[in-house]
Amino acid sequence: MPSSTDTASTAKRGRPGYDQQSVLRIAVDVFNRHGYDATSMGILADNLGISKSAIYHHVPSKGDLLKLALEHALGGLEAILEEPAATSGAADARLEFVLRQTVAVLVDRLPFVTLLLRLRGNTEIERDALERRRTFDHKVAALISAARDEGSLRQDIDPRTVTRLLFGMINSIVEWYKPGGSLSPERLADDVITMAFDGLHSTQH
Amino acid sequence: MPSSTDTASTAKRGRPGYDQQSVLRIAVDVFNRHGYDATSMGILADNLGISKSAIYHHVPSKGDLLKLALEHALGGLEAILEEPAATSGAADARLEFVLRQTVAVLVDRLPFVTLLLRLRGNTEIERDALERRRTFDHKVAALISAARDEGSLRQDIDPRTVTRLLFGMINSIVEWYKPGGSLSPERLADDVITMAFDGLHSTQH
């Protein structure tokens, strides 16, 4: 973690008071609003209130901003699968852990994951990111299959359908969740797990 | 239903062999691929293999194509709520009916609903459609609340969160469902209902 002196000196390299992280955060918001393809370095400069050359001081190209942003989203998701709770124990407990953490990363890195989920795959950088996202999805799908084989998940729905519907439910969070509102990230994760595993019917039903 | 003679005479009005419905279907595919804003009448003409003036023979403007397409999506969804099974009986049975039919309309009118779900609201036509979509969503949300008050749905999740997650799950279908594949629309609707109401845990769990 940088000391406040480090942060100040990093900020000083750019103007007015931007460091690479804040340039990146604003760029991601602009990409999400206008679409990556439609965002020029000129539009970015307008939104940052700095010149195009000042942006190049922080990052060599628009593609590099995209790459950094997608790395933040994908790195967060991929790290979940490396956690001990994701790699050992009963498959349904591992699945629950992974889904809960996926919700946490979605909420914590909301604009970054939004960008990832809206990619169209027009450039090499986008296609690489989509490939990494598919790999993540496949690993979660394998966990779902394992939990099903273990007997802890119902057998009467195709695991591929389960995977699609689960991701549909979870990924929708980026479209509607308002950080800082009355629904905390932890509560949201609880609700997702309850709904996905136990369903909406009341237990006395 | 038109006889084959009617269809032939309708087709003859356009060229080469298009009627308004087939122009609309192709236009919707192009809108979904390129985005509505980025699609010009010139791009549409290229995709149809006819001249721009031949398109105007079928429909006065790009906006009219969008309007017709959104009407097809919204009309299908709104009709569900008028069915007797949606308006009388226990709230949880009405909710199940509405969700099942929503899946059926999504699948039956897949490109049209895809277009609706991707709207950005840049024009009056888009904003009107988004308003109608919100009204539909609110009516389903009211059904969820009613089923909860009735005691048939669990009390420990906020009905607003339930509504968001349910629509997230169902709306995702337009992004991954392949019509004509091994998963029938009826089976898909069954799977959505099972997962949403009963959850993924096996009953012996």
Side-chain angles (χ1 to χ4, degrees):
Chain A
M1 186 179 289
S3 70
S4 59
T5 323
D6 287 339
T7 311
S9 75
T10 309
K12 226 180 276 169
R13 278 186 236 129
R15 266 171 309 161
Y18 285 121
D19 56 16
Q20 195 189 54
Q21 279 309 305
S22 45
V23 167
L24 185 60
R25 186 161 284 275
I26 293 171
V28 167
D29 286 338
V30 180
F31 292 158
N32 284 335
R33 249 186 354 259
H34 298 279
Y36 173 72
D37 293 333
T39 304
S40 64
M41 283 302 244
I43 293 176
L44 279 181
D46 285 350
N47 276 276
L48 287 158
I50 60 180
S51 66
K52 278 203 267 184
S53 63
I55 301 182
Y56 291 118
H57 180 82
H58 293 290
V59 67
S61 72
K62 191 176 89 155
D64 287 281
L65 280 168
L66 181 65
K67 218 166 168 172
L68 285 167
L70 295 174
E71 181 57 46
H72 192 53
L74 286 162
L77 292 171
E78 289 164 351
I80 297 168
L81 300 174
E82 307 296 323
E83 296 274 338
T87 54
S88 61
D92 75 328
R94 288 189 281 146
L95 177 61
E96 181 179 323
F97 172 81
V98 167
L99 295 181
R100 203 178 277 279
Q101 294 307 112
T102 299
V103 172
V105 168
L106 250 69
V107 167
D108 184 52
R109 306 185 180 189
L110 201 69
F112 297 89
V113 181
T114 304
L115 185 66
L116 174 67
L117 294 178
R118 290 188 189 162
L119 286 187
R120 288 167 161 269
N122 291 336
T123 64
E124 191 69 23
I125 294 169
E126 290 172 76
R127 285 189 290 275
D128 285 349
L130 287 174
E131 185 55 40
R132 281 170 71 183
R133 184 188 152 196
R134 264 193 296 276
T135 301
F136 177 80
D137 289 2
H138 286 159
K139 286 181 179 169
V140 178
L143 257 184
I144 292 169
S145 288
R148 196 173 181 261
D149 294 345
E150 208 182 63
S152 47
L153 295 195
R154 58 189 320 134
Q155 311 284 314
D156 55 354
I157 307 181
D158 188 308
R160 286 168 302 180
T161 307
V162 168
T163 305
R164 297 294 203 168
L165 293 173
L166 262 180
F167 275 114
M169 184 163 92
I170 291 175
N171 290 343
S172 78
I173 292 170
V174 305
E175 302 295 337
W176 58 265
Y177 184 71
K178 300 273 176 288
S182 60
L183 180 61
S184 72
E186 296 73 25
R187 181 60 209 259
L188 173 60
D190 284 343
D191 290 350
V192 166
I193 296 299
T194 301
M195 189 166 151
F197 287 97
D198 300 327
L200 291 174
H201 271 152
S202 59
T203 38
Q204 74 269 29
H205 190 74
Chain B
M1 182 177 292
S3 70
S4 59
T5 322
D6 286 339
T7 312
S9 75
T10 308
K12 226 179 279 168
R13 278 186 237 128
R15 270 170 307 158
Y18 285 121
D19 56 17
Q20 197 190 52
Q21 279 310 306
S22 46
V23 167
L24 185 59
R25 185 162 284 274
I26 293 171
V28 168
D29 286 338
V30 180
F31 292 158
N32 284 334
R33 250 185 354 256
H34 297 280
Y36 173 73
D37 293 332
T39 303
S40 64
M41 283 301 245
I43 292 176
L44 279 182
D46 285 348
N47 275 275
L48 288 159
I50 60 180
S51 66
K52 279 202 267 184
S53 62
I55 302 181
Y56 290 119
H57 180 82
H58 294 289
V59 68
S61 72
K62 190 175 90 154
D64 287 281
L65 280 169
L66 181 65
K67 218 166 168 174
L68 285 168
L70 295 173
E71 181 56 47
H72 192 54
L74 286 161
L77 292 171
E78 288 164 352
I80 298 169
L81 300 174
E82 306 299 324
E83 296 273 339
T87 54
S88 61
D92 75 328
R94 287 189 283 145
L95 177 62
E96 182 180 321
F97 172 81
V98 168
L99 295 180
R100 204 178 277 279
Q101 294 308 112
T102 300
V103 172
V105 169
L106 250 70
V107 167
D108 184 52
R109 306 184 181 191
L110 200 71
F112 298 88
V113 181
T114 304
L115 185 65
L116 174 67
L117 294 177
R118 290 189 188 159
L119 287 187
R120 289 168 159 269
N122 291 336
T123 64
E124 193 68 21
I125 296 169
E126 291 172 75
R127 284 189 291 275
D128 286 348
L130 288 173
E131 186 54 40
R132 281 171 70 184
R133 185 188 151 195
R134 264 193 295 275
T135 303
F136 176 82
D137 289 2
H138 287 160
K139 287 181 178 168
V140 178
L143 258 184
I144 291 170
S145 288
R148 194 171 182 263
D149 294 345
E150 207 181 62
S152 48
L153 295 194
R154 59 190 319 133
Q155 312 285 315
D156 55 354
I157 307 182
D158 188 307
R160 288 169 300 181
T161 307
V162 169
T163 305
R164 298 294 205 168
L165 293 174
L166 262 181
F167 275 115
M169 186 163 91
I170 291 176
N171 291 342
S172 79
I173 291 171
V174 305
E175 303 294 338
W176 58 265
Y177 184 72
K178 300 273 176 288
S182 60
L183 181 61
S184 72
E186 296 73 26
R187 181 59 209 258
L188 174 61
D190 285 342
D191 290 351
V192 166
I193 297 299
T194 302
M195 190 168 150
F197 287 97
D198 300 327
L200 290 174
H201 270 149
S202 57
T203 38
Q204 75 270 27
H205 189 75

